[in-house]
Amino acid sequence: MAKNDILGASLWDAYSNKVTTLMNNPQHQGEITEEEAESHGNKLIVADFGAESCGDAVRLYWEIDPKDDKIVNSKFKSFGCGTAIASSDVMTELCIGKTVQEAVKITNIDVELALRDDPETPAVPPQKMHCSVMAYDVIKKAAGLYMGVEAESFESEIIVCECARVSLGTLQEVIKLNDLKTVEQITDYTKAGGFCKSCIKPGGHEAREYYLTDILEDTRREMDEEKMKAAADAGGKGDFESMTLVQQIKAIDSEIDDSIRQFLIMDGGDMEVIDIKSSDEYIDVYIRYLGACNGCASSSTGTLYAIESTLKEKLSKKIRVLPI
């Protein structure tokens, strides 16, 4: 399959090597017949799931040993693009050797992560990320057929987008893994919000418990808090210089709160960080004294020395504290 058959050649580099290899050479494409499964004393399950709106569909074959419910062989047929073929192939590989009960825990994120060449780089361009979402549904459908129950009975997560069957946990994980910043990016990666659009934001539809706009905002805030905590922790390990300005100010405020501020308040004063300016030689921290500390004789001698010494010890030896 030529790369221009998939999409513009300029985007070809956005595919992982695993994806491009499996597009042309899937390892588990094909079918398992009833006769073949019976000859091994096993049971055959065939499950179909189709996303007609985007032209993708997949048929999943499981050959299951009824003695222990283990999936001893699995194959697939995919009626979609090259990315869907690669995703279906990896999904099938992940099923083999698992029990049916273990297989239903496989998520779309598991499939996408397995397609990556390295853990930090997405396997496919954003506009093709949705092609891995069928795994979630077809696996549960196959498990339901084997166990004689509805596929929905395996549902353990809150489904936010009913049209694309995307769960809250999947959305949160995809936002974090790929540093998504807009609802449009979420739709590119998961197809959530790409159909009836009722899950995007309030208004125009029946009320929902979760909306993409709120999930994005909450998850981004959680990500920022995690970054700030990591940056503050890193400050004590000598990495203060690599922080952003906001992170540096927060790290300084944290050290001041722990070691200095209580003594200033006891004397009727306080202080605040006004600005930070860095050069190759120094990191100048500009502070302003408040209350009784403003104009106090020791504010430019002993107190200043105590503040500067603490910050040098805890954060960086390059720090100079300058009152203004």
Side-chain angles (χ1 to χ4, degrees), residues 188-201:
D188 282 341
Y189 273 72
T190 68
K191 280 209 167 180
F195 301 99
C196 76
K197 304 186 185 303
S198 65
C199 63
I200 294 179
K201 60 183 179 181

Side-chain angles (χ1 to χ4, degrees), residues 10-21:
S10 62
L11 289 181
W12 186 251
D13 289 340
Y15 286 85
S16 72
N17 291 328
K18 288 182 182 179
V19 171
T20 57
T21 298

